[in-house]
């Protein structure tokens, strides 16, 4: 994290040294892992060369998942999970990074990313 902060500070100093205006916008996605669209993620994986059986395995891992809440022994109805990646898994953070990693490529700004935080 300190490297990310140092990088941002250095970018500010560089802009100010060149007489440019410097500003920063910090974007923190609330519940970032819940925002992953399965269709987009699977398309990106295919673009990156994940095909056939590995892609089908990941698709199977993401689809047809249900969740429910239990409070004081009362269970809610199951609900189909239509987006997001499983948290607490080894694969979840990787899939989120694949989903999010090209954000800097579609921006005119100097984008810095650290985990699920974007500046």
């Amino acid at each position: 994290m300190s490297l990310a902060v140092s990088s941002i500070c250095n970018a500010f100093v560089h802009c100010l040294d060149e007489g440019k205006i410097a500003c920063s916008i910090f974007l923190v996605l609330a519940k970032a892992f819940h925002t992953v669209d399965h269709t987009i993620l699977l398309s990106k994986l295919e673009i990156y060369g994940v095909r056939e059986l590995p892609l089908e395995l990941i698709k199977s891992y993401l689809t047809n998942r249900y969740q429910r809440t239990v409070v004081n022994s009362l269970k809610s109805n199951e609900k189909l999970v239509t987006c997001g990646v499983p948290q607490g898994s080894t694969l979840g953070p990787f899939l989120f990074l694949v989903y999010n990693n090209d954000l800097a490529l579609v921006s005119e700004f100097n984008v810095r990313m650290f985990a699920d935080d974007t500046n």
Side-chain angles (χ1 to χ4, degrees), residues 41-59:
L41 174 61
L42 292 169
S43 295
K44 286 185 176 190
L45 287 167
E46 193 168 7
I47 289 168
Y48 293 138
V50 179
R51 294 188 179 87
E52 298 172 5
L53 183 58
L55 187 63
E56 288 302 315
L57 286 170
I58 293 171
K59 182 177 181 181

Side-chain angles (χ1 to χ4, degrees), residues 25-32 116-119:
I25 298 171
F26 293 85
L27 174 64
V28 179
L29 296 173
K31 300 183 180 183
D116 62 343
D117 295 326
T118 303
N119 175 266

